[in-house]
Amino acid sequence: MDITGRTVFIPGATSGIGRALSVALHDAGATVIAGGRRQALLDDLATEHPGIGTVVVDVADPASISAAAADVIERFPATDTLITMAGFAEPEDLTTGDFVDATARMVTTNILGTVRLIGAFTEHLQRMSGTIITVSSGLAFTPLAPMPTYSATKAFVHSFTDSLRLQLRDSGVRVREIIPPAVQTEFAPGQSTAEWAMPLDSFIAETMDLLGKDHDEIVVDHARALRDSEVNGNRAELMDQLTHLD
Ligand SMILES: NC(=O)c1ccc[n+]([C@@H]2O[C@H](COP(=O)([O-])OP(=O)(O)OC[C@H]3O[C@@H](n4cnc5c(N)ncnc54)[C@H](OP(=O)(O)O)[C@@H]3O)[C@@H](O)[C@H]2O)c1
């Protein structure tokens, strides 16, 4: 898939993977529209990289998604690619009942946000013969026990993506999924410098290379062990190892 001539909307591009991918796609010749809640960070991105468009969007809010989708399609009618990047994680202690509010927050953003974004763009993308790229995680396949709902929301994203691909098979829309390993971003406290996380620039370089190829799943080498643990027969062992990382 040649991404260079694409017009790509990335809600979840104010920091981390989304921001770095926006810059890499922009540098490769794509037209990029970056989204997120933090207006100041969107302004910084547009100033540092003239040509990147921005839209404020809160994917936890259905009205915000509808307004952002209408705005993107009106201002950038050539939009032919959606990357559903927005997501977050909170740890949960399942030994008390207090975790349920955190569960609801993650379901709202990671699951409903992803689904509502897809719903807001699917008809437009069918007219454009476009591409939907979801963002799950290696944890969709090998859960991190201290982050049970986060891991489960990403398992949802993976499963939903597989069904979406089949339902849209004859529609002209390509459906792909980025499955990151741990990457050095501000995603969790201390993660931006953690040795167990992949450097962001290496992750983006490998992801850009894979996006240019034909795989449905974008799996960098570092994510392979998590992605394939079930078939490799070491899922329980890996889950145990992940729980004891610091
Ligand atoms: N880093 C990792 O190790 C890793 C591994 C696997 C998967 N992932 C996934 O990769 C994606 C990006 O994560 P990251 O590591 O780059 O983390 P990050 O630096 O914290 O970035 C998260 C992005 O999501 C946006 N976001 C969160 N909630 C949002 C909301 N309600 N509405 C709109 N945007 C929202 C944030 O923007 P605002 O705060 O400005 O709204 C930000 O741009 C996430 O889906 C994450 O689950 C990350």
Side-chain angles (χ1 to χ4, degrees):
M1 172 180 154
D2 182 8
I3 199 98
T4 55
R6 297 270 178 156
T7 300
V8 187
F9 175 42
I10 312 183
T14 54
S15 62
I17 295 171
R19 188 187 202 281
L21 191 59
S22 295
V23 173
L25 288 167
H26 172 72
D27 289 348
T31 300
V32 174
I33 306 107
R37 292 165 299 184
R38 289 172 288 176
Q39 172 92 61
L41 295 184
L42 291 172
D43 292 346
D44 290 349
L45 180 61
T47 303
E48 285 168 34
H49 302 277
I52 292 186
T54 62
V55 60
V56 173
V57 60
D58 180 355
V59 308
D61 175 359
S64 176
I65 290 180
S66 300
D71 185 28
V72 167
I73 292 168
E74 187 187 329
R75 286 195 290 138
F76 301 91
T79 299
D80 57 8
T81 305
L82 168 69
I83 305 181
T84 58
M85 184 64 69
F88 81 104
E90 288 180 59
E92 294 158 295
D93 177 358
L94 304 186
T95 62
T96 76
D98 294 343
F99 65 89
V100 178
D101 288 349
T103 305
R105 284 192 290 274
M106 284 181 274
V107 167
T108 301
T109 294
N110 298 0
I111 292 183
L112 293 177
T114 297
V115 169
R116 286 181 173 131
L117 280 166
I118 291 168
F121 278 92
T122 184
E123 290 175 21
H124 173 78
L125 292 175
Q126 286 177 62
R127 287 192 289 276
M128 302 303 292
S129 296
T131 300
I132 296 170
I133 305 177
T134 59
V135 179
S136 65
S137 168
L139 301 181
F141 305 88
T142 308
L144 177 61
M147 294 196 177
T149 296
Y150 173 73
S151 303
T153 63
K154 292 302 184 173
F156 173 97
V157 170
H158 170 67
S159 174
F160 188 86
T161 303
D162 278 351
S163 297
L164 185 69
R165 183 176 301 115
L166 277 180
Q167 283 212 23
L168 296 185
R169 187 169 47 189
D170 300 323
S171 73
V173 177
R174 182 82 201 276
V175 177
R176 309 180 76 188
E177 175 183 356
I178 298 176
I179 304 175
V183 178
Q184 288 177 343
T185 69
E186 306 289 341
F187 188 68
Q191 186 163 332
S192 63
T193 53
E195 279 185 13
W196 46 260
M198 182 177 183
L200 180 59
D201 54 355
S202 318
F203 172 74
I204 294 296
E206 200 175 336
T207 296
M208 284 294 288
D209 183 51
L210 292 170
L211 281 170
K213 296 181 176 156
D214 203 36
H215 318 283
D216 287 339
E217 293 186 359
I218 315 299
V219 186
V220 301
D221 281 349
H222 273 71
R224 205 24 95 186
L226 293 174
R227 169 66 185 92
D228 294 340
S229 66
E230 187 110 45
V231 247
N232 292 339
N234 64 346
R235 185 171 180 272
E237 185 187 321
L238 263 186
M239 278 186 68
D240 198 45
Q241 282 174 17
L242 289 178
T243 306
H244 296 104
L245 280 179
D246 52 28

